[in-house]
Amino acid sequence: MTLRIGVIGTGMIGEEHSRRITQTLSGAAIIAVSDVNHEQASAMVSRLNLDAKVYESGEQLIASDDVDAVLVTSWGQTHEEYVLAAIKAGKYVFCEKPLATTAEGCQRIMEAEITAGRRLVQVGFMRRYDQGYNLLKNSIDDESLGDALMIHAAHRNPTVPERYITPMAIHDTLIHELDTFRWLLDDEYASAQVIFSKKSRHAHSQVRDPQMVLLETTRGIRIDVEVFVNCQYGYDIQCTVVGEEGIAHLPEPQSLTVLKAGTRGNEILQDWKNRFNNAFDIELQGFIQDATDNTLKGPSSWDGYAAAVAGDACVKAQESGQIESIDMPTRPDFYR
Ligand code: NAP
């Protein structure tokens, strides 16, 4: 059986995922697309040589009997309405992060999914499928480092566009770490604090950059994350787990070491696409298989919600300069 997928939002990652589904993965076809910018949607259909209909709106695409499952890759602010519409139509939906831009929005999605009575939503937290992060998780789960005590991490992008504002460092950027750490540690957050350093002269006027996010988990594990979205030199993701008897570093992406003209060097990746290429493949192939088998297993609406609760506390901490407590509600039985 071929899973017939409709894509809402044909920007950077919408095209990347459509290309991946069409040219690399198996078991699915892109048969419908939609974007507020219709020309952009049509142009993507031509570029990828898709046999896909361009719909006037995301709602029409979701309602179409031809569409089995929906991929939401539009702007973050629009995710909630499309995910809710897909749940209402009883269709599987893969939603890029964030699931919704507030915890309340994620809560509405969970309530709709619980009312529907079965898991229909997967959230695009692809680091859970990255080989390096899985090695790190194994080293925590098998206790080879002793108990985990601290994590030191960094999320660095070369530059961000003018429309990127300070809270986006949390909702758009740190959201990946917020999901990854709770998955790595199998723990929830208890508090958050945000400290701003001297501002980089490369950061535009609407963003305070860099910043340091300090998190504490319910078991007392301390996490520091540098978020630096105008670091200039590359896309650089760091994560080191400090345990009672040893430390483990997230592996660097593989690259050739070149010795030339008196220097020894390795290429530094410039964008997220290449850094997590394999993880995106595994993530989406899993969604296609699970939707076909009627059993979604990837990151759930609860995971999207938990990251959003922590994210909201971090944004509050950006504004207050104080340590903000994080009160994570009990996970509903539906998501156990
Ligand atoms: P993008 O290039 O700006 O693409 C978003 C597309 O959605 C644009 O074509 C935009 O059209 C369209 N759009 C806006 N409002 C819409 C609406 N109401 N209905 C349908 N389409 C609409 O952004 P992107 O980088 O692809 O990011 C899209 C989402 O993916 C974001 O939530 C982002 O956080 C996430 N993302 C995740 C990762 C990851 O690592 N997992 C990486 C990149 C992005 P216009 O431009 O014409 O307004």
Side-chain angles (χ1 to χ4, degrees), residues 40 64 68 220 242 250 269:
Q40 176 158 309
S64 167
D68 300 320
V242 179
L250 179 71
L269 295 176

Side-chain angles (χ1 to χ4, degrees), residues 120-247:
L120 291 166
V121 181
Q122 178 168 331
V123 183
F125 287 137
M126 79 296 179
R127 289 194 191 177
R128 294 181 181 216
Y129 301 90
D130 176 69
Q131 193 192 11
Y133 274 113
N134 275 280
L135 290 171
L136 217 46
K137 181 157 177 58
N138 292 344
S139 78
I140 296 171
D141 289 349
D142 68 13
E143 297 178 3
S144 52
L145 309 171
D147 266 3
L149 306 173
M150 293 186 285
I151 291 182
H152 306 299
H155 188 142
R156 304 190 186 107
N157 295 66
T159 56
V160 287
E162 286 285 327
R163 67 181 157 86
Y164 189 104
I165 55 176
T166 303
M168 290 173 74
I170 306 297
H171 291 310
D172 243 54
T173 302
L174 185 78
I175 196 83
H176 279 302
E177 273 77 14
L178 290 174
D179 176 66
T180 304
F181 301 145
R182 55 182 291 279
W183 167 74
L184 277 177
L185 298 169
D186 196 16
D187 200 358
E188 297 294 355
Y189 302 108
S191 72
Q193 184 181 10
V194 178
I195 296 167
F196 291 100
S197 77
K198 178 179 185 297
K199 183 172 168 171
S200 163
R201 66 191 164 87
H202 297 293
H204 62 73
S205 61
Q206 299 301 308
V207 62
R208 293 183 69 181
D209 187 49
Q211 54 195 284
M212 186 77 78
V213 180
L214 305 176
L215 299 159
E216 184 179 13
T217 73
T218 61
R219 296 207 304 271
I221 299 167
R222 291 285 184 171
I223 302 166
D224 60 87
V225 197
E226 172 197 317
V227 181
F228 188 12
V229 295
N230 290 282
C231 80
Q232 308 296 300
Y233 70 86
Y235 181 69
D236 185 15
I237 302 299
Q238 300 290 330
C239 186
T240 298
V241 178
V242 179
E244 288 171 312
E245 284 139 32
I247 69 171

Side-chain angles (χ1 to χ4, degrees), residues 50-118:
L50 301 176
D51 187 9
K53 179 173 169 185
V54 180
Y55 283 77
E56 283 293 308
S57 72
E59 287 80 3
Q60 287 173 16
L61 177 149
I62 291 166
S64 167
D65 286 339
D66 294 336
V67 172
D68 300 320
V70 181
L71 213 65
V72 177
T73 47
S74 49
W75 283 359
Q77 293 92 322
T78 66
H79 291 182
E80 182 185 345
E81 62 181 282
Y82 292 133
V83 173
L84 286 173
I87 293 172
K88 201 168 169 200
K91 296 191 177 175
Y92 291 110
V93 52
F94 177 96
C95 179
E96 258 311 330
K97 58 80 183 167
L99 177 59
T101 49
T102 61
E104 288 77 27
C106 296
Q107 172 97 42
R108 285 188 283 274
I109 290 172
M110 284 198 299
E111 284 165 5
E113 198 177 28
I114 291 170
T115 303
R118 61 195 177 111

